[in-house]
Amino acid sequence: MFLAMVLLITGAIPAGLFSSKAAAADEPLTVAQAIARNNDGLPGTVEGYVIGYFDGSKNKLQTIAPFSGGSNFGLADNPGETDLNKILSVQIPNIISVRNTFGLNSNPELLGKKVRVTNGTLTSYLLLPGIKYIDSSSTTFQLIDEAPETKVASVRANPSSGAVPVGTQVTLETPTVGATVYYKQNTDADYLPYTVPITINDAIHIETYAAKEGIDNSDVTSFDYTLVDTIPISISDARKATENTTVSVQGIVTYSELSGSVSNLYIQDNDAGIVVRGNASGIEVGDQIEAYGPITIYNGLVQVEASKSGFQGGYIRTVEKSQDLPSPVSLNSSHFVPGAGGE
């Protein structure tokens, strides 16, 4: 049985995380057994076959590639199942490292493969019996593979090589369960066991490999990092930046809403306002925050998308808690540009 684990890293190494491949260590529920739980809202572990992607609703099950998204997959006890009464809808969190491994739009070869979802919440999702992600220290995703293991899988880094903000923590992992990761930095002569994330404060070169008793060591993998400028600019200047330009801004949160699995934070400084989109656990209205990420446009609305898919190093962090909200600005007709035809 091939065993592997991919760690989902958000700073320090959490305890549970997710795996790309694993053996059947304890008895999971079948999809039929999970459905019989009637969305009881309790944790459960379920195993089944990936049978497609739900494009917005239970009645839009895509079973042939290309798939239009990676936010979910259908799970059934038999590959190729089409009876909705026998399908469990599985939520995939909006986290790059998870969707890059289990999103069908990125991994169409997962169709028909056996997967285990460990410690998710059994609850309704997409109007079907479902299993939802809890958090990175609880829920794991596993692909079950019968291939024999003869060599440790190569080490991966999160984030991968590239330009990152100062203070970024790089985590190293191997998909092989039970393997130990070793690394060295720059001109170091000796490899050390990897135990904690590596903080990037300067340009750095990392070499790493993984070892496990009884099978061959992994190949040596290298990662290189440089620093990007994250000095905040005014929100007014950020709003003038072209789409996909990377910016850092500071402002006070005046409104917050959950949109999908991330937050939309409406922030203001002394001159202007902008929407910041990303993971914002613990941030409240009145907090002064700093956000770093690319400028994106959504329905004509300018936003800083700190957790944009494929972008590494984006962040939202609190500068000061519980600040006074900016004074409202009174608007009159002079603030509005006439539309076509003078309207």
Side-chain angles (χ1 to χ4, degrees):
M1 182 68 70
F2 184 83
L3 307 180
M5 177 169 283
V6 178
L7 299 182
L8 167 59
I9 304 299
T10 54
I13 301 177
L17 312 180
F18 77 93
S19 11
S20 65
K21 295 187 178 181
D26 35 63
E27 286 300 319
L29 299 171
T30 65
V31 171
Q33 289 170 334
I35 292 173
R37 291 263 297 263
N38 292 319
N39 300 322
D40 59 18
L42 298 175
T45 296
V46 185
E47 190 173 287
Y49 293 91
V50 176
I51 49 86
Y53 171 76
F54 291 101
D55 184 15
S57 77
K58 72 174 186 178
N59 295 317
K60 294 182 179 180
L61 177 63
Q62 299 176 354
T63 58
I64 301 175
F67 298 96
S68 61
S71 60
N72 69 74
F73 56 73
L75 202 65
D77 286 328
N78 298 298
E81 182 67 70
T82 58
D83 185 348
L84 291 175
N85 294 316
K86 298 179 180 180
I87 296 173
L88 194 71
S89 57
V90 179
Q91 180 191 45
I92 304 177
N94 187 18
I95 299 174
I96 294 172
S97 49
V98 183
R99 291 197 178 179
N100 283 351
T101 306
F102 290 95
L104 278 172
N105 56 338
S106 302
N107 305 275
E109 68 278 4
L110 285 177
L111 190 69
K113 297 293 181 64
K114 200 169 191 179
V115 168
R116 181 186 303 166
V117 183
T118 301
N119 198 31
T121 301
L122 291 172
T123 186
S124 178
Y125 179 55
L126 300 177
L127 300 179
L128 284 171
I131 184 166
K132 286 188 174 182
Y133 173 83
I134 298 176
D135 58 48
S136 61
S137 63
S138 302
T139 307
T140 67
F141 293 75
Q142 301 169 307
L143 172 62
I144 297 177
D145 191 345
E146 299 290 339
E149 185 179 46
T150 60
K151 183 177 181 178
V152 178
S154 295
V155 175
R156 302 172 183 174
N158 187 10
S160 58
S161 295
V164 297
V166 65
T168 295
Q169 292 189 314
V170 173
T171 55
L172 305 176
E173 51 78 21
T174 173
T176 303
V177 173
T180 300
V181 173
Y182 297 89
Y183 77 102
K184 63 180 181 179
Q185 302 178 49
N186 298 326
T187 58
D188 290 348
D190 299 322
Y191 284 93
L192 299 173
Y194 169 79
T195 56
V196 296
I198 302 167
T199 302
I200 307 300
N201 291 319
D202 293 292
I204 189 174
H205 173 79
I206 299 172
E207 287 186 13
T208 180
Y209 74 95
K212 182 179 179 180
E213 186 176 355
I215 59 176
D216 294 337
N217 292 350
S218 75
D219 295 331
V220 174
T221 308
S222 297
F223 304 97
D224 292 279
Y225 299 89
T226 57
L227 298 181
V228 295
D229 182 5
T230 58
I231 297 175
I233 62 175
S234 70
I235 292 178
S236 291
D237 287 341
R239 293 185 62 86
K240 298 173 187 175
T242 57
E243 191 169 6
N244 294 318
T245 300
T246 303
V247 300
S248 177
V249 294
Q250 288 189 2
I252 295 175
V253 179
T254 59
Y255 179 71
S256 174
E257 64 180 4
L258 191 63
S259 176
S261 59
V262 298
S263 295
N264 287 336
L265 303 175
Y266 295 72
I267 70 169
Q268 289 181 224
D269 60 12
N270 293 330
D271 299 313
I274 200 167
V275 173
V276 170
R277 180 170 171 80
N279 299 310
S281 177
I283 292 177
E284 301 174 339
V285 171
D287 292 346
Q288 182 181 9
I289 66 168
E290 180 176 305
Y292 171 72
I295 291 290
T296 60
I297 310 296
Y298 180 73
N299 287 341
L301 185 68
V302 179
Q303 57 187 15
V304 178
E305 194 166 356
S307 59
K308 182 180 179 181
S309 177
F311 177 77
Q312 61 183 28
Y315 63 80
I316 301 172
R317 59 189 179 207
T318 302
V319 177
E320 290 188 78
K321 297 287 289 183
S322 304
Q323 301 298 294
D324 293 334
L325 295 181
S327 299
V329 176
S330 298
L331 300 178
N332 56 47
S333 60
S334 66
H335 291 93
F336 298 92
V337 178
E343 296 181 356

